[in-house]
Amino acid sequence: MKILVTGAAGYIGSHTCIELVNAGYDIIGADNFVNSSMEAIRRVRKLCGVNFPFEEIDFTDKDATEKLFEKYQIDAVMHFAGLKAVGESVQIPIEYYQNNLGSTLSLLAAMKKHDVKNFIFSSSATVYGAEASVPYNEHTPVSRVTSSPYGNTKLMIEYILKDAVKAIPGFNAVLLRYFNPVGAHESGEIGEDPTGIPNNLVPYVARVAVGKLPVIHIFGNDYDTPDGTCLRDYIHVVDLAKGHVAALKKIEQNCGLFICNLGTGKGTSVLEMVKAFSKSCGRELPYEFAPRRAGDLPAFWADPSFAKESLGWTAEKGIQEMCDDVWRWQSKNPNGYRDADA
Ligand code: NAD
Ligand code: UDP
């Protein structure tokens, strides 16, 4: 099976390329590098020992997308490409809708023309409503509108894919709702490389650990949780990548619409995460409590039982391994991929 991996140079795409190649799939990587670098592809090729084809392409460009489907015989699309910064999406919503919806629609149009019927989409736990009770399972209602334009693009793309399954005979759409991906490949050669000051907790903590930022700000310590800080379901990116390989098996069985959470089922607090990372880097990391961040939910985590039943997949790596792997990546690459690009 030949798989087009969009967003292949990005954080989750790069780790998934390795797991796909290891599982014996042929891949074609593609990215426009709006939030990534060619160095990630070079390293992925080296780590998996295969010089797979790669194309620099913007998937909002319908003609370029169409040409890619003319050039390669493609059996399935794994669609990671997208803009993902929640805060930025509030500032520039039009760009987010244009990029995330536009790229998905170009792909679906090219797939329709070339009779490609398998699509795996990177959705998010953000589609569940703020009123939903935890843990979230796949029957938990999705929100009518999420807390950000970014989240709304995920919700809208889910609707587009549901309609495509209804309208196109034999079309398979797998919607994978990720919880909080963290961690890095155990080699320390690839990992998450945000530009500027990170918004997410673990990349921020990693920058403090490597001395690039002075102190961690913990947003809120008065939540109704065991230690007062928010709980999230952090999942190791390699486990997440393996979840995609498992999902391909479902596609091979012509699943039609298939919706599945990818999480661990365990909530970890911000304070617990900071402590685990301190252990990984061998020093107590400085932190201070700050006001709550607007829009944050106190606590949510996945019910991962459907993933286990239907895909035979469960996350295996715990919090300490996630932090150890991020620390290996960050300490080996204090400037991310930028040094290699220079
Ligand atoms: P990332 O930014 O590291 O990777 C996305 C990649 O897509 C980048 O390499 C970027 O250059 C590329 N890209 C963006 N727009 C493109 C376009 N129009 N054409 C071609 N390439 C384009 O992000 P990630 O963390 O790897 O996330 C991958 C996917 O998973 C995204 O769709 C994201 O929304 C989703 N997701 C991520 C998280 C998370 O916390 N990381 C959680 C839930 C869902
Ligand atoms: N968080 C924090 N300090 C930071 C970044 C995040 O305390 O610098 C908290 C945030 O309030 C949330 C948790 O860490 O409770 C996870 O936040 P992240 O942005 O990583 O993920 P998401 O908001 O998408 O769950």
Side-chain angles (χ1 to χ4, degrees):
M1 206 180 201
K2 258 210 168 67
I3 297 151
L4 171 64
V5 182
T6 79
Y11 173 45
I12 303 170
S14 58
H15 288 81
T16 306
C17 285
I18 294 178
E19 297 308 318
L20 287 170
V21 172
N22 287 346
Y25 290 99
D26 287 333
I27 62 169
I28 300 138
D31 206 297
N32 68 350
F33 301 128
V34 67
N35 193 36
S36 54
S37 131
M38 185 61 197
E39 180 61 14
I41 297 295
R42 284 192 279 270
R43 293 189 187 187
V44 169
R45 282 174 169 162
K46 207 168 158 195
L47 285 168
C48 64
V50 175
N51 203 18
F52 57 81
F54 176 83
E55 301 282 338
E56 184 170 347
I57 173 176
D58 182 339
F59 284 104
T60 61
D61 182 336
K62 275 191 83 169
D63 294 339
T65 305
E66 163 60 27
K67 287 204 182 90
L68 192 78
F69 279 77
E70 270 164 28
K71 183 168 172 185
Y72 296 98
Q73 181 257 321
I74 293 166
D75 301 304
V77 175
M78 242 180 224
H79 185 35
F80 296 98
L83 298 176
K84 64 158 184 180
V86 175
E88 184 183 64
S89 80
V90 178
Q91 306 302 321
I92 50 167
I94 309 305
E95 285 80 350
Y96 268 66
Y97 287 114
Q98 208 150 37
N99 190 73
N100 293 1
L101 298 181
S103 60
T104 306
L105 290 169
S106 305
L107 282 161
L108 290 172
M111 286 172 72
K112 192 170 175 202
K113 185 159 175 210
H114 293 265
D115 206 28
V116 179
K117 295 202 164 160
N118 300 312
F119 197 89
I120 299 190
F121 176 58
S122 303
S123 192
S124 163
T126 191
V127 299
Y128 293 116
E131 275 82 52
S133 52
V134 288
Y136 297 165
N137 67 40
E138 292 76 1
H139 300 294
T140 301
V142 295
S143 192
R144 261 168 40 78
V145 63
T146 75
S147 54
S148 71
Y150 163 74
N152 292 340
T153 68
K154 295 293 172 197
L155 204 56
M156 289 176 186
I157 294 168
E158 285 204 357
Y159 281 117
I160 291 170
L161 292 171
K162 286 174 187 170
D163 287 339
V165 170
K166 279 186 212 150
I168 305 168
F171 192 80
N172 299 309
V174 171
L175 316 183
L176 297 177
R177 294 178 178 156
Y178 309 163
F179 281 69
N180 286 56
V182 300
H185 190 263
E186 61 177 0
S187 62
E189 289 297 312
I190 60 168
E192 189 170 11
D193 184 23
T195 42
I197 296 179
N199 297 303
N200 296 112
L201 178 66
V202 172
Y204 197 102
V205 170
R207 295 276 171 94
V208 173
V210 85
K212 300 254 171 208
L213 291 169
V215 61
I216 301 158
H217 304 280
I218 295 183
F219 301 141
N221 64 338
D222 57 353
Y223 285 101
D224 185 15
T225 58
D227 65 20
T229 68
C230 293
L231 300 179
R232 293 289 181 274
D233 185 341
Y234 298 95
I235 172 170
H236 196 294
V237 66
V238 172
D239 278 333
L240 189 71
K242 288 180 176 164
H244 289 72
V245 177
L248 272 178
K249 306 252 157 57
K250 206 76 207 165
I251 284 249
E252 284 160 6
Q253 297 161 7
N254 279 319
C255 57
L257 177 69
F258 180 80
I259 301 176
C260 192
N261 286 339
L262 293 180
T264 66
K266 191 176 172 294
T268 300
S269 77
V270 179
L271 267 174
E272 285 171 326
M273 197 50 127
V274 171
K275 293 220 166 83
F277 209 101
S278 296
K279 200 167 162 202
S280 300
C281 69
R283 74 181 172 98
E284 284 302 310
L285 293 174
Y287 64 82
E288 54 195 39
F289 293 118
R292 291 180 176 197
R293 186 171 68 177
D296 275 343
L297 294 177
F300 64 87
W301 58 92
D303 176 345
S305 50
F306 181 64
K308 187 174 180 188
E309 271 162 42
S310 58
L311 301 178
W313 170 92
T314 9
E316 286 168 358
K317 295 171 186 281
I319 293 296
Q320 199 57 57
E321 202 170 348
M322 298 178 204
C323 293
D324 289 352
D325 289 343
V326 173
W327 176 236
R328 194 172 306 108
W329 150 252
Q330 187 73 78
S331 51
K332 271 174 103 167
N333 304 274
N335 300 311
Y337 294 117
R338 273 166 286 281
D339 290 340
D341 282 337

